[in-house]
Amino acid sequence: MFAYIIRRTFAAVILLLVVSAVTFAIFFLLPRLAGETADQLAAQFIGKSPSPETIAAVKQNLGLDQPLYAQYWKFLKGLVAGAEYNFGPEPATCHVPCFGYSFKNHLEVWPELSKRIPVTISLAAGAAVLWLVSGVATGVVSALKPRSVFDRLSMGIALAGVSLPVFFTGALLLTLFSYEWPILDNLQYVDFTDNPLMWARNLILPWVSLAFLYSALYARLTRAGMLETMSEDYIRTARAKGLVERKVVTRHGLRAALTPIVTIFGMDLGLLLGGALITEQVFSLQGVGQFAVQAISDNDLPKILGVTLLAAFFIVVCNLVVDLLYALVDPRVRLS
């Protein structure tokens, strides 16, 4: 088991290095291949009508006049050890992880980005708990009572959940519960450490709108997996040995059906931690997704680079956790 964890962790580190290299190439190599010069890239840091002397100084300070491999090494070094830039009379320190300085406001990217992470984590984690519990529970009950009224009704609702986009359900929830019936009005993000009750109250609608979409997928996936698993020979053997039905369902049926659930859950959670763009826009949440939208609209390269690497980090970490959970869910992984 320990060797399995070491192998997966090492593979995750290598994957992060590959992602950083590809991301760096997209933002710094492709523009050169398209004909953009180092002077043009340096001019974006300065503003309107920069002088040739200013462009040359910024290009030298940022290392844009160096070979691409030297720039990538400096970029990696900044991520793990920080960097210093000489933009003025005193050197400016870019703290770890250093994604550089914004083209728009000339501030460090990471402090701005880190302020948005708790919002996105709160949104993704709360919605994930809702859709995982409700989706798996609905799928299990539907599989145990196929073609029943509950099965048909729940799968019909699940089909509606899959079909309706988040911007529709989110806007509908806002219209009903914030404007028509002001039960949850004045929704603004409150930090969990400041007021846990207000934190949960103001995130209920975003959680429900996200969970309605994802729980529908998980209910259908769990139902299909449980129907296949409960017809296996070892399930009949467990029942023949006199095991309680609850243990047959949970220990043997559900555990075997959880493997695809764990896989898709890690991918979905990683993607949401990288920024729930539509949900954050609908509910005006100042999260990573809205930060990314603003960075793209401003053509702010360092911010876009920071969001891209942060999203890749969350996805890789979530997939690493999924790999480790495989060993708990499926004993065959430990034996292999």
Side-chain angles (χ1 to χ4, degrees), residues 91-280:
T93 302
C94 184
H95 301 87
V96 179
C98 178
F99 295 117
Y101 287 82
S102 168
F103 288 167
K104 189 76 172 179
N105 52 24
H106 303 286
L107 297 176
E108 278 188 68
V109 172
W110 175 244
E112 287 190 276
L113 184 56
S114 61
K115 294 177 183 177
R116 312 292 188 101
I117 294 177
V119 181
T120 300
I121 291 179
S122 299
L123 174 62
V129 171
L130 282 181
W131 86 57
L132 187 62
V133 173
S134 61
V136 171
T138 302
V140 169
V141 176
S142 296
L144 296 178
K145 299 179 179 180
R147 293 181 295 278
S148 64
V149 175
F150 178 84
D151 181 32
R152 297 179 186 277
L153 181 61
S154 61
M155 289 302 103
I157 296 175
L159 181 61
V162 172
S163 305
L164 296 176
V166 174
F167 62 82
F168 175 81
T169 55
L172 182 62
L173 290 174
L174 273 177
T175 302
L176 292 178
F177 296 101
S178 289
Y179 304 123
E180 292 293 332
W181 311 313
I183 301 173
L184 298 171
D185 57 343
N186 193 23
L187 297 180
Q188 295 181 352
Y189 177 78
V190 177
D191 193 76
F192 179 81
T193 56
D194 294 336
N195 192 329
L197 291 179
M198 289 298 296
W199 170 82
R201 173 196 177 274
N202 292 346
L203 288 174
I204 287 177
L205 294 185
W207 287 344
V208 171
S209 63
L210 268 178
F212 184 59
L213 171 64
Y214 285 93
S215 63
L217 296 171
Y218 281 66
R220 294 169 66 89
L221 185 62
T222 304
R223 180 182 182 275
M226 285 293 294
L227 285 175
E228 181 180 357
T229 301
M230 296 304 289
S231 62
E232 295 288 341
D233 292 339
Y234 68 88
I235 296 294
R236 287 193 292 269
T237 303
R239 285 171 173 163
K241 288 182 177 181
L243 278 181
V244 182
E245 184 67 16
R246 176 176 56 83
K247 292 185 178 180
V248 173
V249 173
T250 56
R251 289 188 180 182
H252 298 279
L254 180 59
R255 187 174 182 180
L258 276 181
T259 303
I261 301 296
V262 171
T263 303
I264 193 173
F265 179 73
M267 295 176 61
D268 290 338
L269 184 60
L271 289 172
L272 279 181
L273 288 174
L277 304 180
I278 299 176
T279 307
E280 291 178 9

Side-chain angles (χ1 to χ4, degrees), residues 44 103-104 293-304:
Q44 297 184 50
F103 288 167
K104 189 76 172 179
V293 171
Q294 188 62 45
I296 293 172
S297 64
D298 292 339
N299 196 24
D300 202 334
L301 179 59
K303 286 186 177 181
I304 299 173

